Amino acid sequence: MNAIPTRSLGASGPRTAALGLGCMGMSAGYGEEVDRAESIATIHAALDAGVTLLDTGDFYGMGHNELLIGEALRTAPAGARERALTSVKFGALRDPDNGWSGYDGRPAAVKNFAAYSLQRLGTDHIDIYRIARVDPDVPIEETVGAIAELIQAGHVRHVGLSEAGAGTIRRAAAVTPVADLQIEYSLISRGIEDEILSTVRELGIGVTAYGVLSRGLISGHFTRDRELSPTDFRAMSPRFQGENLQHNLGLVESLRKIAEQKGVSVAQIAIAWVLSQGEDIVPLVGARRRDRLTEALGALDVTLDADDLAAIERAVPSGAAAGDRYPAGQMAHLDSER
């Protein structure tokens, strides 16, 4: 593989490798025992390959993920550590039983969350800081205004947004420069194309796309007979249920035919499709192991021409997926879906 190309996160954000590493699965969400040594080795391998953006949330594993990243950075070579960029989500309220109780975007809470994140990460600043879901009880102007104050104090470098709708994005950008919007974007999650993508492009805001393999659903590795642990959040995801799953895996098989013709994997062509949607988009790959990371990085060498893109569109047209991307309760928290 050649050197990883770089992309800018909007007009005001940092320049980063064209693929970022989403670290959530190394701590929580998939109902499996976490292999700490492999997780750290995967982060090190990503940094060694030229990946710079590490994405986390302070609520991933109740702080476990930030501590993991902190350890990985502390034990990485100095050069890799200095190039690394941290993207942190905050605001989710949890309870001791792993439940969720909303989001807190009050300015005092923003600064409180940041103080704990800096301690766990072991860094003197966070590169991009964003509330994970817009708090409906706090004006977004107040939330991003607090992040702007953290920037002035030297604790944060850039303001980010997550799952915000077009109107909210405009309001936030009127207060302070916004580097990027983090939002789900994949072949089967294309709601961003309706209004949000044109809005961020008008405002000079980049996109960090998560869920580019739809939690493994369109990775080419998920099978119909796979049993999910009750603690795996996909067990409650509509897209992984019954007839929805059968339909969605049928889409994957259509995509597999195109991938095989190009001599690449399903995951690689799915990631390459997101990469092809614009130089202002940086996909986050949620690799938890080094072999999956290697496969994902191979997407950077996949070139999709007009005929390839047309074939992919026929195989997986916009809106083709069955089922929402989250259960109804979680969908209600998405400002981007309103």
Side-chain angles (χ1 to χ4, degrees), residues 72-127:
L73 290 175
R74 190 167 60 251
T75 55
R81 183 168 62 250
E82 292 165 3
R83 290 189 298 272
L85 300 170
T86 53
S87 168
V88 179
K89 291 178 290 298
F90 67 88
L93 302 177
R94 308 294 302 273
D95 63 39
D97 297 317
N98 290 325
W100 302 82
S101 54
Y103 296 87
D104 193 344
R106 295 172 301 146
V110 173
K111 295 174 182 179
N112 178 76
F113 288 131
Y116 282 90
S117 286
L118 287 166
Q119 178 68 27
R120 286 188 289 257
L121 289 167
T123 58
D124 62 2
H125 72 275
I126 296 165
D127 290 287

Side-chain angles (χ1 to χ4, degrees), residues 121-194:
L121 289 167
T123 58
D124 62 2
H125 72 275
I126 296 165
D127 290 287
I128 312 171
Y129 202 47
R130 69 187 89 240
I131 190 165
R133 299 288 184 267
V134 176
D135 183 346
D137 298 323
V138 178
I140 192 65
E141 291 88 346
E142 294 184 15
T143 301
V144 299
I147 302 175
E149 291 178 4
L150 287 170
I151 291 174
Q152 292 173 354
H155 303 306
V156 171
R157 295 283 169 81
H158 303 281
V159 174
L161 293 172
S162 176
E163 289 290 353
T168 301
I169 295 167
R170 290 188 183 280
R171 287 167 51 201
V175 173
T176 184
V178 175
D180 70 322
L181 170 70
Q182 188 172 120
I183 194 165
E184 187 166 351
Y185 190 32
S186 73
L187 272 168
I188 63 171
S189 294
R190 294 171 63 177
I192 185 178
E193 295 173 351
D194 294 337

Side-chain angles (χ1 to χ4, degrees), residues 23-61:
C23 300
M24 182 194 77
M26 297 176 180
S27 297
Y30 291 102
E32 301 173 356
E33 286 294 321
V34 175
D35 186 334
R36 189 179 190 87
E38 181 60 23
S39 295
I40 291 174
T42 300
I43 294 172
H44 284 169
L47 295 172
D48 184 60
V51 172
T52 50
L53 187 65
L54 303 178
D55 183 76
T56 185
D58 62 9
F59 50 92
Y60 291 168

Side-chain angles (χ1 to χ4, degrees), residues 214-217 222 228 234 237-242 244-245 248:
S214 198
R215 276 66 178 200
L217 181 58
F222 201 90
L228 296 173
R234 293 174 297 186
S237 171
R239 289 184 175 172
F240 287 83
Q241 307 303 312
N244 288 349
L245 177 62
N248 294 331

Side-chain angles (χ1 to χ4, degrees), residues 102-103 133-136 163 324-338:
Y103 296 87
R133 299 288 184 267
V134 176
D135 183 346
E163 289 290 353
D324 286 333
R325 54 193 179 107
Y326 290 106
Q330 294 184 40
M331 289 293 291
H333 289 293
L334 296 176
D335 184 74
S336 56
E337 295 287 339
R338 294 173 188 158

Side-chain angles (χ1 to χ4, degrees), residues 5 29 36 46 53 66 84 90 121 125 149 174 178 192 196 207-208 224 226 230 248 250-251 253 280 287 291 304 331:
R36 189 179 190 87
L53 187 65
E66 289 181 321
F90 67 88
L121 289 167
H125 72 275
E149 291 178 4
V178 175
I192 185 178
I196 292 172
V207 172
T208 42
R224 288 176 170 83
R226 181 169 176 176
N248 294 331
L251 297 175
E253 291 312 304
D280 53 352
D291 59 337
L304 301 177
M331 289 293 291

